[in-house]
Amino acid sequence: MHDVLHQPHDEHHFQSTETVRDIVIGLSDGLTVPFALAAGLSGAVSNAHIIVLAGLAEIAAGSIAMGLGGYLAARGDAEHYASELARERDEVVTKPAAEAEEIYEIFEQYSVPREAATPVLHALQQNPSAYVDFMMRFELGLEAPAENRAHRSALTIALSYIAGGLVPLAPYMFLADNLTALKLSVVITLIALALFGAIKGRLVGTGTLRSALQTTLIGGAAAAAAYTLARLLNHA
């Protein structure tokens, strides 16, 4: 019984890192948007060369736009963190009573009485840097952004978008027959979407099958809508 009680308890939790999030953002849009574009153009033109050129142009523009969006978002997060950090450092010094009351309020959320929280408060007050870090984490829910986060986010999203976008476009690069290329593009892209969704679901814990079905249906629906609309407009 003693051995059972003292056996190490290993918990396995996936930490959804910012890099993984950026890859998911880039791949999901990269697989879906060029896929819908290529399918739509297939319904309007019969020249695979035109589809390849348009697809490559879209991938270039999309990767730049998505990467820039990731860069600006990460920069905004970093600037927000720096602003809140400066404010918290000032309040710890200029408003000690108010900050102490906020410590008690944080612990009250976990049903910890003031008497039990007081020693923790005193310990934090003796270590200002730890005090500020505690308030940033538990009062504001903010984590210090990684160094060069904005540049890494932009590059990761852009490269992921390019990698995803080349999947539906590849058949048009190697097959002269437009219809055959479209069919192959649909098959390999839906498989890629299903695999991507399954991996994402496994990583974030939302369910492998459910996530695979969601990504496949969304990508397939977008491509089908684009193809149908292009066919209708082309024959109008």
Side-chain angles (χ1 to χ4, degrees), residues 5-216:
L5 292 175
H6 288 81
Q7 285 180 353
H9 175 57
D10 296 325
E11 293 188 356
H12 301 281
H13 298 288
F14 170 71
Q15 300 298 322
S16 183
T17 66
E18 294 170 332
T19 300
V20 172
R21 183 191 66 184
D22 290 341
I23 292 174
V24 168
I25 291 172
L27 273 179
S28 60
D29 281 7
L31 283 168
T32 304
V33 178
F35 180 35
L37 174 65
L41 288 175
S42 296
V45 300
S46 58
N47 192 331
H49 181 66
I50 295 177
I51 296 175
V52 171
L53 290 179
L56 291 176
E58 195 288 323
I59 291 174
S63 62
I64 293 172
M66 293 288 291
L68 180 59
Y71 175 83
L72 293 176
R75 277 292 300 272
D77 290 343
E79 291 171 356
H80 175 63
Y81 183 87
S83 174
E84 291 296 328
L85 180 63
R87 183 182 64 81
E88 201 63 50
R89 284 172 174 168
D90 177 71
E91 290 182 350
V92 165
V93 176
T94 61
K95 302 177 181 179
E99 290 296 292
E101 189 61 32
E102 289 177 351
I103 288 286
Y104 288 126
E105 291 175 358
I106 291 172
F107 279 105
E108 283 177 3
Q109 297 175 12
Y110 300 93
S111 301
V112 178
R114 296 175 73 91
E115 297 77 13
T118 298
V120 178
L121 170 61
H122 291 164
L124 289 173
Q125 288 173 334
Q126 299 303 313
N127 189 343
S129 62
Y131 195 175
V132 171
D133 183 65
F134 183 91
M135 297 302 288
M136 292 293 290
R137 289 171 180 265
F138 293 98
E139 180 194 11
L140 303 177
L142 297 176
E143 295 282 349
E147 188 177 356
N148 294 324
R149 163 66 185 151
H151 294 88
R152 289 202 302 270
S153 178
L155 184 60
T156 302
I157 292 176
L159 291 178
S160 298
Y161 189 95
I162 293 171
L166 290 176
V167 172
L169 206 59
Y172 298 94
M173 298 178 179
F174 301 104
L175 296 175
D177 183 65
N178 195 33
L179 182 58
T180 303
L182 172 61
K183 292 177 180 179
L184 183 57
S185 177
V186 169
V187 172
I188 65 173
T189 305
L190 290 180
I191 292 174
L193 284 167
L195 290 174
F196 165 70
I199 294 172
K200 183 180 71 171
R202 183 175 180 83
L203 289 176
V204 302
T206 57
T208 302
L209 181 59
R210 175 185 175 187
S211 182
L213 287 174
Q214 285 179 339
T215 55
T216 304

